[in-house]
Every structure is written in C-alpha cells, then in structure tokens.
Amino acid sequence: MSLVQVLNLQLFSDEQGSLVALEENNNIPFAIKRVYYIFGTKPGVVRGVHAHRNLKQVAICLSGSCRFVLDDGINREEIVLDCPTVGLIINDLCWREMHDFSSDCVLMVLADQPYDAADYIHDYQDFLLLTKQI
Ligand code: T46
C-alpha cells in the first residue's frame, strides 16, 4: 500500500465562498484529541524530521503549500499539500519531514493523542531499529 494516503474532503461551495467540515470518526478516521497549526515558517526551514511511536494524524494545508516526505523505514514517498480539501494521513511509526513551506502556508494537523514529548523518535537509526529495518 502507498505510504501517501489522502482523504478527499467534501467541499461545500456557493456564491458566498467555500466550507469544509471535519468530524471525528466520520471523515476524520479517529477521535480528535488535539489540533495544532503551523504558519509563518521561515524560508528554507525543514520541520518534522522525526517519527512517533503512537500517534495518528491528518494534515491539511489550509493556505499556501508545503511538501511532505513520509518514510516507513523501507520506502520514502512525497506529496505536495496545496489544497484545503486534501487531508494527508500520517500513521504511527512513520518518519515525516516537511519542506518548501510557502510564505502563506497554514498547515493544520488533527491528532488522535494529546501532546507527549516522550512519544517522539528523533534519531533516524532508532527509528529504523524500531521498525526492524536494521
Ligand atoms: C508532526 C508534524 C507534522 C507543543 O507544545 N504541543 C504540540 O501539540 C505540538 C505539536 C508541539 N508543541 C511544541 C513542542 C515544540 O517546543 O511546539 C514546539 C514545536 O514542535 P515540533 O518541533 O514537534 O514541531 P514540528 O513542526 O517539527 O512537528 C509537528 C508535530 O510536533 C509532529 O507531531 O507530526 O508537526
């Protein structure tokens, strides 16, 4: 199965403009425990560069664009997020990096767990050990 899995979110457009609705356990495939958003990212900055032991997320680029790299220890795939109706599913034990943020990028992330600094895997070799790739 492809590492890059996306949700195509229904868009409600009319003469007033556009709306997308997100519902836990409905078009978002988990109960939402946390929402955060990333914006004002400086040129050339790379964010992420880690994995999580137990965290499922959906990332939606509300404005602008950025490029995600996902890596399961065997395969590495990329996707440019540039549309507020596309949600990128990021599963646990998946290395993620975010590159090429446009100056107007607003990246919103929905998560199935509260913030836990101990859940991060920052070292790529540790990640490979955990995914049993070395
Ligand atoms: C991920 C990618 C897509 C908090 O206090 N609470 C939070 O919920 C988050 C996400 C972060 N923080 C603090 C921890 C750091 O001091 O905010 C600071 C920046 O977090 P971090 O360096 O983890 O941010 P990114 O952009 O590297 O990664 C984030 C998420 O942390 C991560 O889970 O998958 O976005």
Side-chain angles (χ1 to χ4, degrees), residues 34 36 38 47-50 52 55 57 68 90 96 98 107 109 115 120:
R34 178 165 55 108
Y36 59 92
I38 294 167
R47 300 196 65 126
V49 197
H50 62 257
H52 286 274
L55 182 66
Q57 302 189 110
F68 261 84
I90 311 169
R96 82 287 320 266
M98 297 96 85
L107 179 67
V109 184
Y115 178 68
Y120 283 63

Side-chain angles (χ1 to χ4, degrees), residues 2-122:
S2 172
L3 264 176
V4 170
Q5 296 174 53
V6 296
L7 304 169
N8 291 305
L9 303 164
Q10 188 174 359
L11 175 67
F12 297 93
S13 275
D14 56 26
E15 61 285 350
Q16 303 174 95
S18 301
L19 182 152
V20 173
L22 307 174
E23 286 190 16
E24 61 180 4
N25 295 322
N26 190 349
N27 61 349
I28 298 303
F30 50 73
I32 300 165
K33 295 267 179 59
R34 178 165 55 108
V35 177
Y36 59 92
Y37 41 96
I38 294 167
F39 58 97
T41 306
K42 303 284 187 286
V45 164
V46 179
R47 300 196 65 126
V49 197
H50 62 257
H52 286 274
R53 290 174 174 79
N54 175 35
L55 182 66
K56 292 180 181 48
Q57 302 189 110
V58 172
I60 303 169
C61 198
L62 299 182
S63 161
S65 63
C66 67
R67 177 171 58 91
F68 261 84
V69 174
L70 299 181
D71 178 338
D72 64 2
I74 301 175
N75 297 306
R76 186 166 268 242
E77 294 181 15
E78 297 189 1
I79 182 173
V80 172
L81 291 186
D82 58 3
C83 177
T85 60
V86 173
L88 175 65
I89 297 176
I90 311 169
N91 285 311
D92 35 27
L93 284 183
C94 179
W95 189 263
R96 82 287 320 266
E97 299 174 4
M98 297 96 85
H99 300 255
D100 302 340
F101 286 87
S102 63
S103 57
D104 59 346
C105 182
V106 179
L107 179 67
M108 180 177 73
V109 184
L110 314 178
D112 77 337
Q113 299 294 329
Y115 178 68
D116 177 7
D119 188 61
Y120 283 63
I121 306 160
H122 290 288

